[in-house]
Amino acid sequence: IKEYFDSADADEVIRGIQEMRCKPYHPEVVKRAISLSLDEGPRERELVSRLLTCLHPTPLEDDDVSKGFEVLLDSLDDLSIDIPDAKAIVGCFLARAIVDEVLPPAFISNRNNSHPGDEVIEKAVSLLSREHCTARLEKIWGPGDGRPVAELKEVIDQLVEEYLLSRELDEAARCVREMNAPHFHHELVKRGVKLAMEKDGLDHADSSVSSLDAIAALFSFLVKNAIISEHQVSKGISRLHKILSDIQLDVPAAPAMLKEFEEMAIEGGCLVPS
């Protein structure tokens, strides 16, 4: 979940849950995701609300989500010691989950019967009773992280394509600054290196036109100018390793090329040797 707060990549979370192969633990995913966001800001809370819609109805089924909220509500007294407004925030999550059709409205009435006078339920009911509640609850956390992830990915692809054509470092740096998404720079690294490998394909020996060399030069320039961090470069490369077998289907030399990029990145000062 903490990694998701950085990446905003729900697919990665879904893969992680599927790889765990531990269905009895699914309700805990709901509880943990919301609990961790209580200590964060509006962006992370919006990301968690979106994540729940991505996880439901698969891999998390109706029962998993309901149980997750029940476990969370039962643990709220403890959470409220450190986070005084925890109940109000969870009430917002609950109302938003019902509007997003992740939870059935019956969850509230069932909980009300078993725990009459529950503050969280009362908060959710008051939010759901307001005029235009659906539109309001969709913006309950404010604008969240601004642009949708899909849009940021398009911006990144366009930025990388233009840079590989022009090789203008200053212009690329300006575009990265304008993107204003420091938490998402690892995606720039991942997509940039992947695109460069695809462009070079098997024929990446000619350094005068190598896209991989150009991408390494770009990230060295961005790190030296404190536009992106070494941590984000490292994270992007780590995510590339996870999908390397898929890239290899189109680019057979991908493992060797990624190793070559890592060496250039270490030499260029944008990656700390592991």
Side-chain angles (χ1 to χ4, degrees):
I1 298 297
K2 285 177 180 172
E3 201 169 293
Y4 168 66
F5 287 162
D6 275 342
S7 71
D9 188 347
D11 291 342
E12 196 83 22
V13 181
I14 291 169
R15 268 195 296 276
I17 292 170
Q18 287 166 339
E19 282 167 12
M20 267 197 319
R21 291 182 183 172
C22 189
K23 194 172 182 327
Y25 202 69
H26 285 180
E28 193 67 21
V29 174
V30 177
K31 184 205 160 193
R32 289 290 174 101
I34 296 174
S35 300
L36 286 169
S37 77
L38 297 179
D39 231 357
E40 302 288 343
R43 175 186 168 271
E44 287 75 15
R45 291 171 197 166
E46 175 61 27
L47 283 173
V48 169
S49 285
R50 289 186 193 182
L51 179 64
L52 295 180
T53 62
C54 293
L55 296 178
H56 177 269
T58 177
L60 301 192
E61 296 169 6
D62 292 352
D63 204 35
D64 297 326
V65 180
S66 295
K67 278 184 183 160
F69 267 99
E70 276 170 25
V71 177
L72 174 66
L73 291 171
D74 291 340
S75 67
L76 267 183
D77 285 337
D78 292 338
L79 285 169
S80 298
I81 296 167
D82 295 322
I83 305 154
D85 54 352
K87 290 185 178 180
I89 299 169
V90 173
C92 296
F93 269 113
L94 189 52
R96 170 71 180 263
I98 287 168
V99 161
D100 287 342
E101 296 182 4
V102 173
L103 262 183
F107 178 89
I108 283 187
S109 48
N110 294 342
R111 182 81 189 181
N112 228 350
N113 294 337
S114 58
H115 296 74
D118 188 317
E119 273 177 64
V120 180
I121 299 298
E122 285 175 0
K123 171 75 177 174
V125 169
S126 79
L127 289 169
L128 290 162
S129 308
R130 288 181 186 175
E131 201 178 346
H132 310 302
C133 76
T134 301
R136 286 181 177 203
L137 284 164
E138 280 170 358
K139 301 285 181 200
I140 190 83
W141 310 122
D145 61 348
R147 289 180 289 184
V149 170
E151 190 183 317
L152 278 172
K153 286 180 178 178
E154 278 177 32
V155 170
I156 286 170
D157 288 346
Q158 192 179 346
L159 186 161
V160 173
E161 286 275 11
E162 285 175 7
Y163 165 70
L164 289 175
L165 281 172
S166 69
R167 309 286 166 108
E168 289 179 13
L169 291 166
D170 288 329
E171 178 61 19
R174 185 187 66 77
C175 293
V176 174
R177 277 198 201 95
E178 273 182 11
M179 200 166 68
N180 193 25
H183 61 281
F184 210 54
H185 284 164
H186 57 86
E187 186 72 20
L188 171 65
V189 176
K190 186 190 104 173
R191 296 178 92 79
V193 177
K194 180 173 177 280
L195 194 61
M197 290 197 293
E198 287 167 354
K199 280 189 179 296
D200 286 352
L202 289 168
D203 183 28
H204 67 290
D206 182 358
S207 61
S208 65
V209 293
S210 166
S211 295
L212 210 56
D213 284 5
I215 279 293
L218 173 64
F219 292 131
S220 295
F221 182 81
L222 293 173
V223 169
K224 277 176 189 165
N225 287 279
I227 295 165
I228 70 173
S229 67
E230 289 172 349
H231 168 71
Q232 290 284 323
V233 175
S234 172
K235 189 167 184 168
I237 291 172
S238 160
R239 292 182 64 216
L240 269 169
H241 277 286
K242 289 179 185 173
I243 58 166
L244 198 53
S245 54
D246 293 338
I247 300 171
Q248 207 173 350
L249 297 173
D250 297 319
V251 186
M257 293 168 84
L258 183 54
K259 188 170 185 293
E260 184 186 327
F261 171 79
E262 287 178 25
E263 286 164 3
M264 288 190 285
I266 290 166
E267 198 180 317
C270 64
L271 182 67
V272 179
S274 54

